[in-house]
Amino acid sequence: MSRGASTTPTRATPTADDGAAGDVRNEVRLCGRLSAPAEERTLPSGDVIVTLRIIVPRSRTARRTGSSEGEARSGQVDTIDVVCWSASTRRAALRLDAGVTIEIEGSLRRRFFATPSGRQSRYEVEAQTVRRPSRKRGAGT
């Protein structure tokens, strides 16, 4: 293995030349509700990004119990931060209204940043696609 191989980030979609590493991937696919309108920001570097937050309900099997008696808690969701870097994903995100159901495909990233209290990090999804889910057509439609 080459020395740089361990520091090379994984690709979202492996290519044929990935060999054994083709099983290693960083892919995220989310379907949920947009919590608020997307926000456009200009970073100190001059790059423009769009950020949004998606609310994804947890499956029944993924929910933790709410009490010692094993009572299930209801209404559990995950709120996930999403960042759009490409022009196409930024445009798509800015066209969406709060509350709509959306689909995001991308990669999980850990971002480091400076704050007055020191360096911090956060996980977010870097979007490769942002869209409204396609409606399933009924028979004969």
Side-chain angles (χ1 to χ4, degrees), residues 33-122:
R33 185 171 47 87
L34 184 63
S35 68
E39 296 179 5
E40 188 174 53
R41 286 189 348 202
T42 302
L43 301 177
S45 65
D47 291 329
V48 177
I49 62 169
V50 170
T51 59
L52 56 101
R53 189 166 282 157
I54 183 172
I55 300 169
V56 180
R58 291 184 182 175
S59 67
R60 277 199 182 276
T61 57
R63 293 181 181 159
R64 295 187 185 118
T65 58
S67 69
S68 59
E69 292 85 38
E71 210 174 279
R73 288 188 280 176
S74 62
Q76 290 187 357
V77 297
D78 289 304
T79 305
I80 301 165
D81 293 325
V82 178
V83 62
C84 302
W85 286 88
S86 71
S88 62
T89 57
R90 291 192 316 258
R91 279 192 307 271
L94 289 170
R95 284 194 301 259
L96 299 169
D97 295 320
V100 300
T101 300
I102 61 172
E103 263 183 20
I104 304 285
E105 291 181 13
S107 301
L108 186 64
R109 302 283 185 234
R110 186 173 181 194
R111 180 172 56 94
F112 293 87
F113 54 96
T115 67
S117 60
R119 299 217 12 105
Q120 293 188 2
S121 69
R122 123 177 336 174

